Amino acid sequence: MMPRATIVALLGTVGILAAAALAPWLKFVLTVALAKGLAVMGILLLLRAGQVSFGHALYLSIGAYTVAFLRPAVPDLLVLLPLAAAVALGVGLVIGLFVARYRDIFFGMLNLAFSMVFHSLLEKLYAITKGTDGIRVFRPTVAGFALERLPYEWAVLGLALLLALGLGWLAARFLVSPLGQALVAIKTRETRLEFAGVSARRVLLVAYAASAALGGLAGALLACTTLHVTPHLAYWTQSGELVFIAILGGGGSILGPYLGSVVYELVRVYAAAALPDAWQMVLGAVLLGIILFASRGLWGLYEDLVMRGWRRA
Amino acid sequence: MALLLLLAVLDGLAYAAQVFMVAVGLTLIFGVLRVLNVAHGSFFAIGGYVAASLGAAIAAAGFSSALALPALLLASAIVGALLGPLIERLILARIYDKEQVLQLLVTFALFMILEDVQKLIWGVQPIFQDAPVRSLGQVAVGDIVYTVYQLYLLPGVALAVLVGLMWFLRRTLTGRVIVAVTEDREAATALGIDADRVYLFTFTFGVALAALGGALASPTTSLVPGIGVNMIVLSFAVVATAGLGQIEGAALTALLIGLGRSVAVYFAPEFEVVIPYLIMVAVLLVRPHGLFGRPQLRRV
Amino acid sequence: MSEPLLSARGLAIAFGGVRAADGVDLDVAEGEILAIIGPNGAGKTTFINMTTGYLRPQAGRILFGGEDITGLAPRAIVRRGIARSFQIPQLFAEQTVIENVALKVAARRGFWRAFTPLLDHTTASEAMRLLEQVGLAQLATARATELNEGARKLTDVAMAMALEPRLLLMDEPTSGVASAEKFAVMDTLVGALRARRTTAVFVEHDMEVVERYADRVAVWSQGKILVAGPPREVLADPAVLREVIGVETAHAGA
Ligand SMILES: Nc1ncnc2c1ncn2[C@@H]1O[C@H](COP(=O)(O)OP(=O)(O)O)[C@@H](O)[C@H]1O
Ligand SMILES: [Mg+2]
């Protein structure tokens, strides 16, 4: 199981690098996909506990705005990214202390409420955030080097890939650790966990904080890729997108988020342009379809195909 | 200063009236179906759009503007009767026995769909149709000239909905069945209550209430994409602050949050959106089950 | 004699009109294995619920190792060394049998590990040993939902033992276990308890099991303890025969 996932991850890495080399415009799309995959991995942690957050765009935007605000003072990408993750982690811990007391509906909606508040603050506090105009981010240096556009794009893509691989590996280990397994236990029988002397709230808080940090990191990568941040990053549609990708990719493997986000971004490039006012509708319909008919997502479909292939062989 | 405060209170009342109608449907549906309908805000928005379209059609056909008011009711009935049964039977009925997280995701998917349905039908340009407000004229309250529509009609309708709902739930057979199912679903179904019909009725009714909220709001505000999401989060805040399933509680909380918000509009406009959630978070920190809610038993 | 490990005094609780405990006094000595018998509805489970913090008695006190634990939260009571299994066990449904047990082992041995597997070598082998003690080793990788009632109950017992409690309360541990396997399971289970000198209380309906494995038996009837004493004497008591065992056999026959 595990080695097979590693092989798929390495093949995916090669595929992404090859695609970016062959079709330069794909570099941007794939970087964005990898960044979102990181955030979706956070959503996946929460889904393990049976919880869904409709507000994780909050952490995307916190990460992105941290980069935008700090870029003048902190010029380097390799410093900006951890800083953004740390700020998101801090906010996640504080909000997590509150939302980890809740489950299901409350958990989902309280997260939505927090993100909507932040979105409106980003729009209204014009003096600080420049409102809907957003803030332009000047290309950061990478490890001290001021790179031209092309090498910079490669550097960000490479970094996103490394982060996806490294953090994906860590997350996969997390899922089989006592804490990760306790998340699954929260989903099925939370009180029994409590009665073994383990605080379910604290377990969920750990996952929540991790998901916030991942969201912040993803947002920072997005900011460094698009070089422009706007309040739209905090809007509910962004949160919905993360949830959508998580369900699309499937929760069975840590590769699900990346499979989901690459497919999603590739389709979006064409489809969202073709139907700008119906894009959410298409997503909603596909989401309904997956939940009602293929609840294990793309990764589940892939597994079924491989399994069938093996049996035939 | 005093003038602004009075204005804030009047606005707050009118606003609370709209929020209440959405929140009460949300809480009623949750009580019976045990599904928190994330798409509920969309019904508010669609109610508003349908009302505006009806109003425009009435004006274009040259009918008397006195028809503008009943048209609001008609809009709510149309939305309820069309969308309620369609969504409940076709989609929600498939998920009653599924995990909570899947139920939430399904209504969220519905919400995504309905938000774009609005854009496809009514576009993204603001729509404003204030014939109903104009048809009732204005009154002076102290030094302020205020519309009769917002001063009397909106709060009046909300009050009528509240009183009518309490009467309906306590005095009619259908109402009592709904209360029974809300309080103890197993026992109620064991008594031979036809759960399917209760679900269908409650959902449709809740949709119509949200649409009524939207229809009534439409002459006082521009309809733009995004009003649905603002409303679902706000009415969730009301419902959570009051305690899930609390109807009178939702009315009081809507008032509290409506007033809080409109005071902010006049005195600290940047924080208009923040105030309702501050109230919610403050209440939930002290009372995790809301102002009027009771803790639910935990599974062992 | 030294001070009892568990000591209940005047426990009372009523549900509506039903008195599930009506002035219960009971001592359990350190290292003792006590059986509780009595007809359905007598209040046996209620006693366990009060001792483990799931129900708060309306009157009376419970002392554990001399400390008053009456009305503490279940989590606090677990930390003091009391574990229980349930009459109707609720396992972690999405996980395997060994993962269920390992979660409890981890809960005792250090839960806050984020990047090493739950089933690392020590945890897995300890969980496996616990499963062997209840005769479930061959079901270790089965999903919790695939188990029959007997196996679910024994998994639950293994999960309670994983906490290495000073006092273990088991609510009908062998009901649902095929009678052919009962004695084998109880042999290893009680052997393990005695080897660790764990004090145990178990509710049981099978008088043969009671006679073989309990040091002492307490007879429950309508919220009260009818008699308590060595199994041989108690089970021969005509009043017990009439009140409880007659009911039990009639019940078992039904
Ligand atoms: N939580 C409760 N609520 C209401 N009645 C209860 C509750 N727990 C137990 N009872 C009642 O108390 C009596 C004793 O129950 P219980 O302790 O489960 O009996 P036993 O385990 O001896 O069969 C029964 O009549 C039962 O219905
Ligand atoms: Mg019992």
Side-chain angles (χ1 to χ4, degrees), chain C residues 14-16 18-21 38-49 55 87 171-172 203 205 220:
Chain C
F15 303 105
V18 183
R19 298 198 171 171
N40 277 329
K44 306 180 297 291
T45 299
T46 302
F47 172 72
I48 294 183
N49 282 342
L55 286 173
Q87 186 170 349
D171 202 344
E172 307 192 9
V203 177
H205 285 291
W220 239 257

PDB file of all heavy atoms in Angstrom, chain C residues 14-16 18-21 38-49 55 87 171-172 203 205 220, ligand 1:
ATOM      1  N   ALA C  14     -32.772   6.728  41.539  1.00  0.00           N
ATOM      2  CA  ALA C  14     -34.066   6.254  41.032  1.00  0.00           C
ATOM      3  C   ALA C  14     -34.334   6.910  39.693  1.00  0.00           C
ATOM      4  O   ALA C  14     -33.971   8.064  39.471  1.00  0.00           O
ATOM      5  CB  ALA C  14     -35.178   6.596  42.030  1.00  0.00           C
ATOM      6  N   PHE C  15     -34.898   6.153  38.786  1.00  0.00           N
ATOM      7  CA  PHE C  15     -35.314   6.701  37.485  1.00  0.00           C
ATOM      8  C   PHE C  15     -36.829   6.720  37.471  1.00  0.00           C
ATOM      9  O   PHE C  15     -37.446   5.656  37.384  1.00  0.00           O
ATOM     10  CB  PHE C  15     -34.794   5.841  36.341  1.00  0.00           C
ATOM     11  CG  PHE C  15     -33.306   5.678  36.351  1.00  0.00           C
ATOM     12  CD1 PHE C  15     -32.743   4.482  36.768  1.00  0.00           C
ATOM     13  CD2 PHE C  15     -32.472   6.709  35.974  1.00  0.00           C
ATOM     14  CE1 PHE C  15     -31.365   4.331  36.785  1.00  0.00           C
ATOM     15  CE2 PHE C  15     -31.100   6.560  35.993  1.00  0.00           C
ATOM     16  CZ  PHE C  15     -30.547   5.368  36.403  1.00  0.00           C
ATOM     17  N   GLY C  16     -37.403   7.896  37.563  1.00  0.00           N
ATOM     18  CA  GLY C  16     -38.848   7.930  37.720  1.00  0.00           C
ATOM     19  C   GLY C  16     -39.185   7.172  38.994  1.00  0.00           C
ATOM     20  O   GLY C  16     -38.666   7.474  40.057  1.00  0.00           O
ATOM     21  N   VAL C  18     -38.551   3.910  39.341  1.00  0.00           N
ATOM     22  CA  VAL C  18     -37.721   2.711  39.463  1.00  0.00           C
ATOM     23  C   VAL C  18     -36.486   2.979  40.313  1.00  0.00           C
ATOM     24  O   VAL C  18     -35.687   3.852  39.989  1.00  0.00           O
ATOM     25  CB  VAL C  18     -37.266   2.221  38.062  1.00  0.00           C
ATOM     26  CG1 VAL C  18     -36.467   0.938  38.196  1.00  0.00           C
ATOM     27  CG2 VAL C  18     -38.458   2.038  37.157  1.00  0.00           C
ATOM     28  N   ARG C  19     -36.353   2.229  41.427  1.00  0.00           N
ATOM     29  CA  ARG C  19     -35.163   2.406  42.260  1.00  0.00           C
ATOM     30  C   ARG C  19     -34.089   1.435  41.806  1.00  0.00           C
ATOM     31  O   ARG C  19     -34.115   0.264  42.163  1.00  0.00           O
ATOM     32  CB  ARG C  19     -35.506   2.135  43.708  1.00  0.00           C
ATOM     33  CG  ARG C  19     -36.538   3.113  44.195  1.00  0.00           C
ATOM     34  CD  ARG C  19     -36.573   3.140  45.685  1.00  0.00           C
ATOM     35  NE  ARG C  19     -37.421   4.253  46.076  1.00  0.00           N
ATOM     36  CZ  ARG C  19     -37.814   4.466  47.310  1.00  0.00           C
ATOM     37  NH1 ARG C  19     -37.429   3.659  48.276  1.00  0.00           N
ATOM     38  NH2 ARG C  19     -38.589   5.490  47.585  1.00  0.00           N
ATOM     39  N   ALA C  20     -33.167   1.950  41.012  1.00  0.00           N
ATOM     40  CA  ALA C  20     -32.116   1.081  40.480  1.00  0.00           C
ATOM     41  C   ALA C  20     -31.029   0.838  41.518  1.00  0.00           C
ATOM     42  O   ALA C  20     -30.333  -0.162  41.469  1.00  0.00           O
ATOM     43  CB  ALA C  20     -31.516   1.699  39.230  1.00  0.00           C
ATOM     44  N   ALA C  21     -30.886   1.770  42.465  1.00  0.00           N
ATOM     45  CA  ALA C  21     -30.009   1.540  43.618  1.00  0.00           C
ATOM     46  C   ALA C  21     -30.730   2.139  44.816  1.00  0.00           C
ATOM     47  O   ALA C  21     -31.225   3.255  44.752  1.00  0.00           O
ATOM     48  CB  ALA C  21     -28.654   2.196  43.424  1.00  0.00           C
ATOM     49  N   GLY C  38     -27.821 -11.322  39.496  1.00  0.00           N
ATOM     50  CA  GLY C  38     -29.137 -10.769  39.801  1.00  0.00           C
ATOM     51  C   GLY C  38     -29.957 -10.654  38.534  1.00  0.00           C
ATOM     52  O   GLY C  38     -29.389 -10.598  37.439  1.00  0.00           O
ATOM     53  N   PRO C  39     -31.270 -10.615  38.662  1.00  0.00           N
ATOM     54  CA  PRO C  39     -32.131 -10.591  37.482  1.00  0.00           C
ATOM     55  C   PRO C  39     -31.968  -9.294  36.676  1.00  0.00           C
ATOM     56  O   PRO C  39     -31.453  -8.303  37.198  1.00  0.00           O
ATOM     57  CB  PRO C  39     -33.544 -10.692  38.055  1.00  0.00           C
ATOM     58  CG  PRO C  39     -33.420 -10.253  39.467  1.00  0.00           C
ATOM     59  CD  PRO C  39     -32.043 -10.615  39.913  1.00  0.00           C
ATOM     60  N   ASN C  40     -32.414  -9.319  35.463  1.00  0.00           N
ATOM     61  CA  ASN C  40     -32.380  -8.111  34.634  1.00  0.00           C
ATOM     62  C   ASN C  40     -33.156  -6.985  35.294  1.00  0.00           C
ATOM     63  O   ASN C  40     -34.213  -7.209  35.860  1.00  0.00           O
ATOM     64  CB  ASN C  40     -33.009  -8.386  33.264  1.00  0.00           C
ATOM     65  CG  ASN C  40     -31.992  -9.017  32.333  1.00  0.00           C
ATOM     66  OD1 ASN C  40     -30.802  -8.740  32.438  1.00  0.00           O
ATOM     67  ND2 ASN C  40     -32.459  -9.885  31.459  1.00  0.00           N
ATOM     68  N   GLY C  41     -32.602  -5.794  35.223  1.00  0.00           N
ATOM     69  CA  GLY C  41     -33.283  -4.654  35.798  1.00  0.00           C
ATOM     70  C   GLY C  41     -33.037  -4.483  37.287  1.00  0.00           C
ATOM     71  O   GLY C  41     -33.627  -3.623  37.919  1.00  0.00           O
ATOM     72  N   ALA C  42     -32.136  -5.298  37.856  1.00  0.00           N
ATOM     73  CA  ALA C  42     -31.894  -5.221  39.296  1.00  0.00           C
ATOM     74  C   ALA C  42     -31.058  -3.996  39.656  1.00  0.00           C
ATOM     75  O   ALA C  42     -31.100  -3.527  40.794  1.00  0.00           O
ATOM     76  CB  ALA C  42     -31.200  -6.493  39.772  1.00  0.00           C
ATOM     77  N   GLY C  43     -30.285  -3.506  38.701  1.00  0.00           N
ATOM     78  CA  GLY C  43     -29.461  -2.333  38.986  1.00  0.00           C
ATOM     79  C   GLY C  43     -27.973  -2.607  38.921  1.00  0.00           C
ATOM     80  O   GLY C  43     -27.168  -1.802  39.389  1.00  0.00           O
ATOM     81  N   LYS C  44     -27.578  -3.701  38.300  1.00  0.00           N
ATOM     82  CA  LYS C  44     -26.162  -4.070  38.229  1.00  0.00           C
ATOM     83  C   LYS C  44     -25.391  -3.082  37.356  1.00  0.00           C
ATOM     84  O   LYS C  44     -24.350  -2.557  37.753  1.00  0.00           O
ATOM     85  CB  LYS C  44     -26.022  -5.504  37.664  1.00  0.00           C
ATOM     86  CG  LYS C  44     -26.839  -6.542  38.439  1.00  0.00           C
ATOM     87  CD  LYS C  44     -26.699  -7.937  37.876  1.00  0.00           C
ATOM     88  CE  LYS C  44     -27.218  -8.119  36.457  1.00  0.00           C
ATOM     89  NZ  LYS C  44     -28.678  -8.023  36.305  1.00  0.00           N
ATOM     90  N   THR C  45     -25.914  -2.847  36.153  1.00  0.00           N
ATOM     91  CA  THR C  45     -25.250  -1.905  35.257  1.00  0.00           C
ATOM     92  C   THR C  45     -25.240  -0.506  35.870  1.00  0.00           C
ATOM     93  O   THR C  45     -24.258   0.235  35.755  1.00  0.00           O
ATOM     94  CB  THR C  45     -25.958  -1.894  33.893  1.00  0.00           C
ATOM     95  OG1 THR C  45     -25.880  -3.202  33.328  1.00  0.00           O
ATOM     96  CG2 THR C  45     -25.318  -0.898  32.950  1.00  0.00           C
ATOM     97  N   THR C  46     -26.330  -0.163  36.530  1.00  0.00           N
ATOM     98  CA  THR C  46     -26.403   1.151  37.159  1.00  0.00           C
ATOM     99  C   THR C  46     -25.294   1.327  38.183  1.00  0.00           C
ATOM    100  O   THR C  46     -24.699   2.406  38.291  1.00  0.00           O
ATOM    101  CB  THR C  46     -27.782   1.330  37.823  1.00  0.00           C
ATOM    102  OG1 THR C  46     -28.779   1.179  36.829  1.00  0.00           O
ATOM    103  CG2 THR C  46     -27.896   2.684  38.476  1.00  0.00           C
ATOM    104  N   PHE C  47     -24.991   0.258  38.917  1.00  0.00           N
ATOM    105  CA  PHE C  47     -23.896   0.345  39.885  1.00  0.00           C
ATOM    106  C   PHE C  47     -22.578   0.663  39.184  1.00  0.00           C
ATOM    107  O   PHE C  47     -21.821   1.535  39.606  1.00  0.00           O
ATOM    108  CB  PHE C  47     -23.780  -0.975  40.663  1.00  0.00           C
ATOM    109  CG  PHE C  47     -22.574  -1.036  41.542  1.00  0.00           C
ATOM    110  CD1 PHE C  47     -22.506  -0.279  42.710  1.00  0.00           C
ATOM    111  CD2 PHE C  47     -21.483  -1.822  41.192  1.00  0.00           C
ATOM    112  CE1 PHE C  47     -21.373  -0.312  43.506  1.00  0.00           C
ATOM    113  CE2 PHE C  47     -20.348  -1.855  41.986  1.00  0.00           C
ATOM    114  CZ  PHE C  47     -20.293  -1.102  43.144  1.00  0.00           C
ATOM    115  N   ILE C  48     -22.325  -0.049  38.079  1.00  0.00           N
ATOM    116  CA  ILE C  48     -21.088   0.217  37.331  1.00  0.00           C
ATOM    117  C   ILE C  48     -21.086   1.642  36.784  1.00  0.00           C
ATOM    118  O   ILE C  48     -20.080   2.352  36.841  1.00  0.00           O
ATOM    119  CB  ILE C  48     -20.918  -0.809  36.185  1.00  0.00           C
ATOM    120  CG1 ILE C  48     -20.711  -2.201  36.771  1.00  0.00           C
ATOM    121  CG2 ILE C  48     -19.749  -0.430  35.291  1.00  0.00           C
ATOM    122  CD1 ILE C  48     -20.451  -3.279  35.748  1.00  0.00           C
ATOM    123  N   ASN C  49     -22.231   2.080  36.286  1.00  0.00           N
ATOM    124  CA  ASN C  49     -22.322   3.444  35.755  1.00  0.00           C
ATOM    125  C   ASN C  49     -22.025   4.490  36.818  1.00  0.00           C
ATOM    126  O   ASN C  49     -21.379   5.496  36.545  1.00  0.00           O
ATOM    127  CB  ASN C  49     -23.723   3.693  35.172  1.00  0.00           C
ATOM    128  CG  ASN C  49     -23.884   3.051  33.799  1.00  0.00           C
ATOM    129  OD1 ASN C  49     -22.895   2.724  33.150  1.00  0.00           O
ATOM    130  ND2 ASN C  49     -25.112   2.853  33.376  1.00  0.00           N
ATOM    131  N   LEU C  55     -23.102   7.969  35.724  1.00  0.00           N
ATOM    132  CA  LEU C  55     -24.294   8.447  36.421  1.00  0.00           C
ATOM    133  C   LEU C  55     -23.847   8.965  37.782  1.00  0.00           C
ATOM    134  O   LEU C  55     -22.919   8.430  38.381  1.00  0.00           O
ATOM    135  CB  LEU C  55     -25.290   7.303  36.650  1.00  0.00           C
ATOM    136  CG  LEU C  55     -26.095   6.780  35.471  1.00  0.00           C
ATOM    137  CD1 LEU C  55     -26.870   5.544  35.900  1.00  0.00           C
ATOM    138  CD2 LEU C  55     -27.050   7.843  34.964  1.00  0.00           C
ATOM    139  N   GLN C  87     -21.914  -3.416  28.727  1.00  0.00           N
ATOM    140  CA  GLN C  87     -22.872  -4.473  28.397  1.00  0.00           C
ATOM    141  C   GLN C  87     -23.132  -4.474  26.891  1.00  0.00           C
ATOM    142  O   GLN C  87     -23.198  -5.500  26.257  1.00  0.00           O
ATOM    143  CB  GLN C  87     -24.172  -4.243  29.169  1.00  0.00           C
ATOM    144  CG  GLN C  87     -25.166  -5.363  28.998  1.00  0.00           C
ATOM    145  CD  GLN C  87     -26.347  -5.228  29.960  1.00  0.00           C
ATOM    146  OE1 GLN C  87     -26.342  -4.427  30.887  1.00  0.00           O
ATOM    147  NE2 GLN C  87     -27.372  -6.036  29.734  1.00  0.00           N
ATOM    148  N   ASP C 171     -19.080  -5.590  32.421  1.00  0.00           N
ATOM    149  CA  ASP C 171     -20.531  -5.787  32.429  1.00  0.00           C
ATOM    150  C   ASP C 171     -20.897  -6.932  31.486  1.00  0.00           C
ATOM    151  O   ASP C 171     -20.934  -6.748  30.272  1.00  0.00           O
ATOM    152  CB  ASP C 171     -21.222  -4.476  32.006  1.00  0.00           C
ATOM    153  CG  ASP C 171     -22.664  -4.422  32.503  1.00  0.00           C
ATOM    154  OD1 ASP C 171     -23.193  -5.488  32.875  1.00  0.00           O
ATOM    155  OD2 ASP C 171     -23.244  -3.321  32.507  1.00  0.00           O
ATOM    156  N   GLU C 172     -21.138  -8.077  32.040  1.00  0.00           N
ATOM    157  CA  GLU C 172     -21.490  -9.285  31.287  1.00  0.00           C
ATOM    158  C   GLU C 172     -20.462  -9.594  30.192  1.00  0.00           C
ATOM    159  O   GLU C 172     -20.807  -9.663  29.001  1.00  0.00           O
ATOM    160  CB  GLU C 172     -22.895  -9.160  30.684  1.00  0.00           C
ATOM    161  CG  GLU C 172     -23.930  -8.780  31.748  1.00  0.00           C
ATOM    162  CD  GLU C 172     -25.370  -8.927  31.268  1.00  0.00           C
ATOM    163  OE1 GLU C 172     -25.576  -9.480  30.168  1.00  0.00           O
ATOM    164  OE2 GLU C 172     -26.263  -8.505  32.003  1.00  0.00           O
ATOM    165  N   VAL C 203     -20.198  -8.598  36.098  1.00  0.00           N
ATOM    166  CA  VAL C 203     -21.600  -8.997  36.115  1.00  0.00           C
ATOM    167  C   VAL C 203     -21.709 -10.276  35.289  1.00  0.00           C
ATOM    168  O   VAL C 203     -21.146 -10.361  34.196  1.00  0.00           O
ATOM    169  CB  VAL C 203     -22.493  -7.899  35.516  1.00  0.00           C
ATOM    170  CG1 VAL C 203     -23.951  -8.346  35.467  1.00  0.00           C
ATOM    171  CG2 VAL C 203     -22.348  -6.610  36.301  1.00  0.00           C
ATOM    172  N   HIS C 205     -24.224 -13.910  34.247  1.00  0.00           N
ATOM    173  CA  HIS C 205     -25.478 -14.656  34.359  1.00  0.00           C
ATOM    174  C   HIS C 205     -25.250 -16.154  34.426  1.00  0.00           C
ATOM    175  O   HIS C 205     -26.156 -16.902  34.755  1.00  0.00           O
ATOM    176  CB  HIS C 205     -26.382 -14.331  33.159  1.00  0.00           C
ATOM    177  CG  HIS C 205     -27.007 -12.977  33.258  1.00  0.00           C
ATOM    178  ND1 HIS C 205     -27.973 -12.653  34.179  1.00  0.00           N
ATOM    179  CD2 HIS C 205     -26.776 -11.836  32.570  1.00  0.00           C
ATOM    180  CE1 HIS C 205     -28.315 -11.387  34.051  1.00  0.00           C
ATOM    181  NE2 HIS C 205     -27.595 -10.859  33.073  1.00  0.00           N
ATOM    182  N   TRP C 220     -27.725  -9.111  43.575  1.00  0.00           N
ATOM    183  CA  TRP C 220     -28.506  -7.885  43.438  1.00  0.00           C
ATOM    184  C   TRP C 220     -29.985  -8.243  43.272  1.00  0.00           C
ATOM    185  O   TRP C 220     -30.331  -9.195  42.572  1.00  0.00           O
ATOM    186  CB  TRP C 220     -28.051  -7.164  42.181  1.00  0.00           C
ATOM    187  CG  TRP C 220     -27.538  -5.785  42.394  1.00  0.00           C
ATOM    188  CD1 TRP C 220     -28.194  -4.648  42.140  1.00  0.00           C
ATOM    189  CD2 TRP C 220     -26.255  -5.417  42.867  1.00  0.00           C
ATOM    190  NE1 TRP C 220     -27.416  -3.585  42.428  1.00  0.00           N
ATOM    191  CE2 TRP C 220     -26.211  -4.005  42.889  1.00  0.00           C
ATOM    192  CE3 TRP C 220     -25.122  -6.117  43.309  1.00  0.00           C
ATOM    193  CZ2 TRP C 220     -25.101  -3.285  43.312  1.00  0.00           C
ATOM    194  CZ3 TRP C 220     -24.029  -5.401  43.722  1.00  0.00           C
ATOM    195  CH2 TRP C 220     -24.010  -4.013  43.732  1.00  0.00           C
TER     196      TRP C 220
HETATM  197  N1  LIG D   1     -30.295   6.048  32.346  1.00  0.00           N
HETATM  198  C1  LIG D   1     -31.453   5.448  32.749  1.00  0.00           C
HETATM  199  N2  LIG D   1     -32.632   6.094  32.594  1.00  0.00           N
HETATM  200  C2  LIG D   1     -33.780   5.531  32.994  1.00  0.00           C
HETATM  201  N3  LIG D   1     -33.884   4.318  33.556  1.00  0.00           N
HETATM  202  C3  LIG D   1     -32.752   3.610  33.732  1.00  0.00           C
HETATM  203  C4  LIG D   1     -31.483   4.148  33.323  1.00  0.00           C
HETATM  204  N4  LIG D   1     -30.527   3.230  33.624  1.00  0.00           N
HETATM  205  C5  LIG D   1     -31.180   2.179  34.181  1.00  0.00           C
HETATM  206  N5  LIG D   1     -32.513   2.402  34.254  1.00  0.00           N
HETATM  207  C6  LIG D   1     -33.491   1.523  34.838  1.00  0.00           C
HETATM  208  O1  LIG D   1     -32.996   1.097  36.089  1.00  0.00           O
HETATM  209  C7  LIG D   1     -33.250  -0.269  36.283  1.00  0.00           C
HETATM  210  C8  LIG D   1     -31.947  -1.009  36.482  1.00  0.00           C
HETATM  211  O2  LIG D   1     -31.247  -1.060  35.254  1.00  0.00           O
HETATM  212  P1  LIG D   1     -29.841  -1.772  35.071  1.00  0.00           P
HETATM  213  O3  LIG D   1     -28.896  -1.231  36.061  1.00  0.00           O
HETATM  214  O4  LIG D   1     -29.475  -1.638  33.648  1.00  0.00           O
HETATM  215  O5  LIG D   1     -30.195  -3.275  35.393  1.00  0.00           O
HETATM  216  P2  LIG D   1     -29.328  -4.584  35.192  1.00  0.00           P
HETATM  217  O6  LIG D   1     -27.996  -4.174  34.638  1.00  0.00           O
HETATM  218  O7  LIG D   1     -29.251  -5.153  36.550  1.00  0.00           O
HETATM  219  O8  LIG D   1     -30.083  -5.436  34.254  1.00  0.00           O
HETATM  220  C9  LIG D   1     -34.027  -0.753  35.075  1.00  0.00           C
HETATM  221  O9  LIG D   1     -35.393  -0.724  35.390  1.00  0.00           O
HETATM  222  C10 LIG D   1     -33.701   0.260  34.026  1.00  0.00           C
HETATM  223  O10 LIG D   1     -34.751   0.405  33.123  1.00  0.00           O
END
